[in-house]
Amino acid sequence: MDLFSPDDAAKPQSPKAPAPRLEKAPPAAAAGASYTAADIEVLEGLEPVRRRPGMYIGGTDANALHHLFAEIIDNSMDEAIAGHANRIEVHMGADGYITVADNGRGMPVENHPKFPGRSTLEIIMTTLHARQSTQPYETSGGLHGVGASVVNALSDDMMVEVARDQTLYRQSFSRGKPTTGVEVIGKVQNRRGTTTRFHPDPQIFGENAALSPARVFKMTRAKAYLFGGVELRWSCDETLASDDVPAKATFHFPGGLKDFLAARIEGEPRIVDEIFSGNSGKPGTHGAVEWAISWNLGDGFVSSYCNTIPTGDGGTHEQGLRAALLRGLRNYAELTGNKRAAVLTAEDVLNYCSVMLSVFVREPEFVGQTKDKLSSAEATRIVDTAIRDAFDHWLAASPNQSSKLLDWAVERAEERLRRRKEKEVDRASATRKLRLPGKLADCTQSAAQGAEIFIVEGDSAGGSAKSARNRASQAVLPLRGKVLNVAGATREKLAANQQIADLIQALGAGTRDRYREDDLRYDKIILMTDADVDGAHIASLLMTFFFQEMPKLIDDGHLYLALPPLYRITHGSKVAYAMDDAHKDLILETEFKGKKTDITRFKGLGEMPYTHLRETTMDPRTRTLLQVKVLQDRDDTKSSVDRLMGTKPEARFEFIQENARYVTDLDI
Ligand code: 0RA
């Protein structure tokens, strides 16, 4: 049964008297009826909005607060754009309330067909996305609007008044829930429309949160510029008025965006005097576009809108604008034989440009957290098409001004290219400074403290070491073949040697006089060569290199020798490793005495399973390292090194003759 009848509604009611509740059936669940999806939505109500306001209005900051006002005025603008309203009034009170009133058709107050016993007004105000599924408007922004219900959810007090059918209705809400039914307030004559009054909830936005009169004033005025078919009336409490905010003002701008832009860029020196502006299509209908563009020396901005809703993050309509402007200027360059225009990009044309762009599309789509970016694909073509021809005409009409604009844009482009080149050169020299040898498998930590580099012989050992390492703190540099003997090399030969160059680069600290401890990229430099004579030779060549080129690195205790084993001895699950033959014999005599053993001799690090390499040689918890130190007086050491590693073979021969008697294990 529909309780609502014209007779009831026509009865005059005192606003103070408790109005009869016109319609409210018990919820389906309470009535014991089965749930439908729609019912569940209603029963769920607006609690999710209060729990996570950011999901609906992008946060709870000042922007979000002003978003509430935007939602409400956008609903009235929709009604105006649809041709049903031509006046919207905004009032800010000293009490923190804001009121938006339009002279549209008025929100429907009769029973909602899908929710028996509940008015459409109540459904609109208390359910998410409760818009009619068939779009009532030609170009509605309302769906962008998360809707009046979200504002309701986030207001501690809200009231909607509808003047419709000579009757004034009212319903009040708090925090998303009705506090009254739809009340008949009285009879009205010559009045239609919707009035919405709300107070943002301090529980959500904070006790001190307040809408900024200046900001709300500007938002209100902008609507008048964006849609010439509506008059905006502004008023605020005297205490809120200021130099920027009059207590009362009326806006009606049939001149549209051109006037808006002219006002915004007043006093800024222009590159070209004339504003390029125009429009296409009937404002408020699908495909309508309006634009105003000035090339001036101010800060430059692009203010774009879709269905009068600001699109702060741009989107498809701005893409259309960029394409049209770039193509137009390039065409003009071609026509006038200007070859330098090939380097132009849309940025060169649009920087130093103040733009207002407004487009109307049916059922627009917005993306992004605060739905500030237009994503409707058709908007690109609509804007591109509308502006392109007009721009060609505008450029052709005054060649002086157009050439000035073109030259200026080309200069910007050339400047941009120059800057980019400089930047590239800077970056190249920066990376050169930092460049690491390609074969280095660096550790991921950047601090030298605790970092280690293993210098290994050959790529296969390098592969095993890379598998065995702890990537975070251990780097691996494989050197191929024998390292140059620096003791016998000239500085030129040294400089030309790739292995040495890689090593110096990887360590990062420089050599000799230019050695800088602070630049050393690792804490421990670990020479990890095979446990055989060749390996020992390479290790001694490397030690010679450090002794000669980076003695401070040794003095400071950074150089180490790894001790990989030569043998792996197993009996069942018992495992032991031996460093050399003597060590192996000792282990066999003691730990494995009388046992049948398997003995593996590693031909090189590259043949060792990486797990064994890790456990025996690289893992700081289980390995043994030898720290390299210069024990004798440095000069004595230097003469020994020269003698053994230097260019004179006779010095080595002498050493062998002197020391041959100490040799014990000689394989012949
Ligand atoms: C739904 C349907 C109709 C109008 C509205 C909503 C409406 C909502 C707001 C919000 C602010 N001002 C508004 N004006 C209208 C169409 C009702 C009909 O067909 O009469």
Side-chain angles (χ1 to χ4, degrees):
M1 184 179 63
D2 190 353
L3 294 174
F4 185 83
S5 76
D7 284 340
D8 282 343
K11 271 186 208 138
Q13 305 275 341
S14 150
K16 295 254 160 56
R21 197 174 167 85
L22 287 181
E23 44 193 352
K24 177 106 188 177
S34 63
Y35 281 94
T36 67
D39 291 330
I40 287 164
E41 190 187 13
V42 172
L43 291 171
E44 244 181 24
L46 295 166
E47 219 22 63
V49 182
R50 290 187 61 80
R51 234 178 292 128
R52 305 182 70 186
M55 293 268 294
Y56 301 86
I57 53 165
T60 54
D61 58 2
N63 283 336
L65 188 63
H66 289 83
H67 202 103
L68 300 185
F69 169 65
E71 284 302 331
I72 297 305
I73 194 168
D74 283 347
N75 285 338
S76 290
M77 281 301 288
D78 277 349
E79 192 69 356
I81 292 164
H84 301 297
N86 60 11
R87 197 176 60 242
I88 296 172
E89 298 177 20
V90 175
H91 176 78
M92 276 185 89
D95 50 7
Y97 277 80
I98 191 158
T99 309
V100 178
D102 64 57
N103 64 346
R105 292 165 297 177
M107 252 187 224
V109 288
E110 66 273 9
N111 265 357
H112 192 282
K114 260 172 64 188
F115 305 96
R118 303 185 68 192
S119 74
T120 304
L121 165 62
E122 185 177 311
I123 298 302
I124 289 175
M125 296 307 294
T126 58
T127 59
L128 283 171
H129 313 296
R131 275 265 176 203
Q132 286 176 327
S133 51
T134 50
Q135 276 283 319
Y137 309 137
E138 171 70 4
T139 53
S140 169
L143 274 185
H144 158 262
V146 283
S149 63
V150 169
V151 180
N152 189 17
L154 303 176
S155 298
D156 57 353
D157 191 16
M158 188 159 189
M159 177 217 77
V160 182
E161 259 178 21
V162 173
R164 221 178 131 99
D165 309 323
Q166 286 86 53
T167 310
L168 187 63
Y169 306 91
R170 180 189 295 161
Q171 187 169 22
S172 297
F173 306 86
S174 176
R175 303 192 165 117
K177 300 203 167 84
T179 52
T180 68
V182 177
E183 301 164 343
V184 172
I185 302 303
K187 270 215 164 290
V188 285
Q189 239 130 46
N190 303 322
R191 184 179 158 194
R192 283 188 324 154
T194 309
T195 301
T196 308
R197 182 169 182 263
F198 69 95
H199 184 268
D201 188 353
Q203 282 181 7
I204 302 284
F205 298 98
E207 291 297 333
N208 298 320
L211 288 151
S212 144
R215 195 163 167 186
V216 175
F217 172 73
K218 279 191 191 156
M219 289 165 80
T220 304
R221 188 180 52 187
K223 293 295 182 189
Y225 279 115
L226 285 159
F227 186 63
V230 68
E231 179 185 286
L232 268 295
R233 292 186 185 171
W234 160 263
S235 64
C236 67
D237 189 89
E238 287 291 345
T239 57
L240 301 179
S242 66
D243 287 352
D244 302 329
V245 185
K248 259 184 163 54
T250 300
F251 305 110
H252 182 218
F253 301 120
L257 286 188
K258 188 175 178 174
D259 292 352
F260 197 176
L261 182 67
R264 273 184 72 171
I265 62 170
E266 204 177 83
E268 289 178 0
R270 301 204 187 161
I271 294 150
V272 289
D273 292 335
E274 207 187 311
I275 290 181
F276 167 50
S277 67
N279 60 278
S280 134
K282 182 174 176 287
T285 63
H286 179 73
V289 184
E290 187 181 353
W291 69 91
I293 301 165
S294 164
W295 283 272
N296 55 347
L297 294 172
D299 284 340
F301 57 84
V302 178
S303 294
S304 64
Y305 304 83
C306 178
N307 298 1
T308 81
I309 295 162
T311 40
D313 289 338
T316 46
H317 51 344
E318 284 191 16
Q319 273 174 36
L321 167 90
R322 294 152 65 94
L325 293 184
L326 180 60
R327 181 134 13 100
L329 213 54
R330 281 213 180 130
N331 283 349
Y332 182 77
E334 208 166 288
L335 277 172
T336 55
N338 185 330
K339 300 235 157 37
R340 291 156 70 211
V343 294
L344 283 182
T345 67
E347 297 326 311
D348 303 319
V349 187
L350 273 165
N351 282 343
Y352 294 91
C353 193
S354 300
V355 180
M356 312 227 52
L357 172 68
S358 169
V359 60
F360 291 87
V361 296
R362 200 182 299 118
E363 296 181 41
E365 279 166 31
F366 301 89
V367 291
Q369 244 272 297
T370 45
K371 301 270 183 258
D372 274 350
K373 186 174 186 177
L374 185 67
S375 62
S376 309
E378 59 198 335
T380 304
R381 186 192 47 76
I382 288 169
V383 174
D384 186 0
T385 311
I387 295 184
R388 199 193 312 172
D389 283 357
F391 194 39
D392 284 348
H393 288 131
W394 187 78
L395 288 169
S398 28
N400 271 347
Q401 147 196 286
S402 304
S403 300
K404 210 162 134 194
L405 174 60
L406 178 60
D407 286 346
W408 187 83
V410 168
E411 269 166 41
R412 295 287 78 69
E414 288 172 350
E415 202 175 281
R416 172 177 56 78
L417 291 175
R418 245 194 326 276
R419 266 203 311 274
R420 190 167 75 190
K421 207 168 215 154
E422 277 165 21
K423 226 183 199 164
E424 271 165 14
V425 170
D426 284 355
R427 193 176 312 128
S429 53
T431 48
R432 204 174 306 126
K433 263 183 234 150
L434 267 176
R435 192 157 61 210
L436 296 169
K439 279 188 298 190
L440 173 71
D442 207 3
C443 53
T444 54
Q445 77 170 52
S446 50
Q449 180 71 40
E452 306 178 342
I453 182 169
F454 287 83
I455 296 161
V456 302
E457 168 201 354
D459 288 339
S460 83
S464 290
K466 275 182 226 170
S467 303
R469 72 180 171 141
N470 168 1
R471 279 175 61 89
S473 61
Q474 298 183 318
V476 175
L477 178 67
L479 298 176
R480 199 167 306 131
K482 286 264 158 89
V483 175
L484 176 75
N485 183 357
V486 295
T490 59
R491 295 230 18 109
E492 288 74 37
K493 208 166 163 198
L494 200 73
N497 183 278
Q498 189 59 47
Q499 314 272 19
I500 299 289
D502 284 356
L503 184 54
I504 294 169
Q505 230 162 26
L507 299 185
T511 57
R512 299 202 179 193
D513 297 347
R514 279 188 298 252
Y515 176 83
R516 296 284 173 271
E517 158 91 12
D518 285 348
D519 293 339
L520 187 62
R521 302 182 61 249
Y522 308 94
D523 217 13
K524 290 191 169 73
I525 318 304
I526 303 169
L527 309 180
M528 186 165 72
T529 53
D530 290 347
D532 58 15
V533 179
D534 276 348
H537 185 206
I538 291 168
S540 54
L541 287 169
L542 285 167
M543 284 190 282
T544 308
F545 163 80
F546 283 109
F547 180 72
Q548 187 176 301
E549 300 295 318
M550 305 183 192
K552 182 126 194 336
L553 183 145
I554 301 178
D555 290 344
D556 292 339
H558 292 300
L559 189 62
Y560 295 83
L561 294 175
L563 292 176
L566 189 57
Y567 295 103
R568 181 172 201 260
I569 307 157
T570 55
H571 169 78
S573 61
K574 191 174 157 68
V575 183
Y577 293 94
M579 294 303 169
D580 51 31
D581 288 280
H583 191 199
K584 176 194 69 179
D585 293 342
L586 180 71
I587 289 171
L588 289 176
E589 287 300 306
T590 54
E591 293 178 51
F592 292 87
K593 192 161 179 66
K595 304 249 167 65
K596 195 174 174 306
T597 53
D598 273 332
I599 302 177
T600 314
R601 186 183 200 273
F602 300 120
K603 287 199 204 76
L605 295 176
E607 300 197 358
M608 245 168 131
Y610 75 88
T611 48
H612 298 174
L613 182 60
R614 176 186 295 157
E615 180 186 338
T616 60
T617 318
M618 292 178 73
D619 187 341
R621 291 167 301 189
T622 47
R623 72 185 179 195
T624 308
L625 293 181
L626 281 182
Q627 189 170 40
V628 178
K629 283 191 171 140
V630 177
L631 293 175
Q632 296 164 293
D633 175 77
R634 185 175 159 84
D635 289 338
D636 283 355
T637 308
K638 179 156 170 38
S639 63
S640 304
V641 171
D642 284 345
R643 195 175 175 197
L644 294 174
M645 307 298 290
T647 42
K648 297 194 190 96
E650 60 273 23
R652 264 191 293 283
F653 183 61
E654 214 172 78
F655 176 87
I656 293 166
Q657 280 186 323
E658 278 170 23
N659 294 281
R661 59 202 160 99
Y662 302 118
V663 173
T664 52
D665 291 328
L666 190 62
D667 287 337
I668 302 181

